[in-house]
Each structure stands twice: as C-alpha cells, then as structure tokens.
Amino acid sequence: MLATMMNALFLQATMESIGIPTQVQTVFCMSEVAKSYIHRRSVRHLKKGRVIIFAVGTGNPFFTTDTAVALRSSKINEEVVLKAKNVDGVHIDDPRRNPQARVLDTLTYQEVTSKDLSVMNMPSITLCKKNNILVVVFNLNKPSNIEKAIKGEMVGTLIWAT
C-alpha cells in the first residue's frame, strides 16, 4: 500500500507539472501528503476540474488497490481509470515469457474475462464494466506516456464495453 501512495504522489507531481490540478485521497490518515477520502469531497474536487488520485486501497483485507480504484471511480461516476504498469499494455501472452507477444490496442471487458487476461482482478473489471468506465493500461516507464494518457491520446490498451 505504501508503494501505491508513492506512485500516487509521483503521478500527482507529474500531472501538476503539466498544469493539471490534482487531489490525492486515501482511506488512511496521511495528512502531510494526502486528504482523507470523503465521497462528497471527491465530487466537489471533480466539479472544480481537479483529477482525483485514489491511493492505498480500501483499507479492508482481501481487496486489492485495483478494486479500490474501481469502487471509488464508480461511486463518483468517473469515466476513465488509468492503469499504469511496467509493460506497454495488455499483451496476448506474457511478454516476459514470450518476447513476440503483441500488445492489443483495444479489448472489451468480455474479452478480458473470457481470455482470463491478468489486467486487473475480476471484481475490478466487473465494476468497471457495470459502470461503463474505460480502462487505459499503459507503460509508466516510457517518457510522456502519463501525459498522453491524461490528454486522451492513444497509448497502451483501451478496455471498454463494446
């Protein structure tokens, strides 16, 4: 969970460096670096044009950080979840075992579940599908990928309903 907070702060700094106001929120008290997650506060920040970055999960055992992001995003009627990874997107096969595995540009939620692709856990994918939230999976380590993803440029893999 601490690593997700560090990633959230890195993402916040990157976004603010290109002029995008952000707010990092967490369920744990970390007042020096983030605000506590309060649903109404999140909605207020969104109305003011700020991006909300959810960090450190739900605070409950057995739920991943992906589940927390999908849950929070669905509660505030978010449209897109950005999933930064250390690979270029969703591959047809594990790129560490198969260097020829190609990156898929787009996928449907149905394809993710039927092919059992390990993008996010199934509860997270189900929440995103049910709430029609797009998921963009991209490589965090490539320069300018965060900026491209934020601006809605094609980067990595887009997962959507149809």
Side-chain angles (χ1 to χ4, degrees):
M1 287 190 297
L2 186 55
T4 67
M5 177 53 81
M6 292 175 3
N7 290 341
L9 295 174
F10 172 74
L11 181 59
Q12 179 183 39
T14 301
M15 293 177 78
E16 289 182 346
S17 75
I18 59 173
I20 298 172
T22 65
Q23 176 73 205
V24 175
Q25 295 186 1
T26 173
V27 294
F28 295 110
C29 182
M30 296 184 179
S31 59
E32 298 298 321
V33 294
K35 300 287 184 190
S36 295
Y37 169 76
I38 299 171
H39 175 74
R40 291 175 66 185
R41 178 184 289 158
S42 298
V43 172
R44 254 193 341 268
H45 284 297
L46 289 172
K47 286 180 180 175
K48 292 180 178 181
R50 296 181 182 121
V51 172
I52 307 297
I53 302 169
F54 299 117
V56 306
T58 64
N60 298 305
F62 312 114
F63 292 93
T64 68
T65 54
D66 287 344
T67 308
V69 169
L71 176 64
R72 303 285 187 246
S73 296
S74 65
K75 287 182 82 172
I76 62 171
N77 299 317
E78 195 54 57
E79 297 173 3
V80 179
V81 166
L82 302 179
K83 175 106 172 121
K85 300 191 64 115
N86 59 3
V87 292
D88 292 332
V90 180
H91 291 74
I92 197 73
D93 192 12
D94 185 346
R96 290 175 285 246
R97 287 193 320 245
N98 179 359
Q100 304 303 318
R102 65 181 175 86
V103 176
L104 301 167
D105 292 331
T106 61
L107 280 169
T108 65
Y109 294 111
Q110 184 63 37
E111 290 171 317
V112 170
T113 56
S114 67
K115 295 177 182 179
D116 197 26
L117 298 172
S118 58
V119 178
M120 301 168 85
N121 62 38
M122 285 307 142
S124 305
I125 288 293
T126 303
L127 274 169
C128 289
K129 178 182 179 181
K130 180 179 178 191
N131 293 284
N132 203 28
I133 300 170
L134 300 176
V135 178
V136 180
V137 182
F138 65 96
N139 191 333
L140 176 66
N141 300 316
K142 285 197 174 175
S144 76
N145 266 3
I146 291 175
E147 185 175 354
K148 287 178 184 176
I150 292 166
K151 290 180 176 179
E153 296 177 23
M154 188 58 194
V155 59
T157 303
L158 175 65
I159 303 171
W160 60 332
T162 56

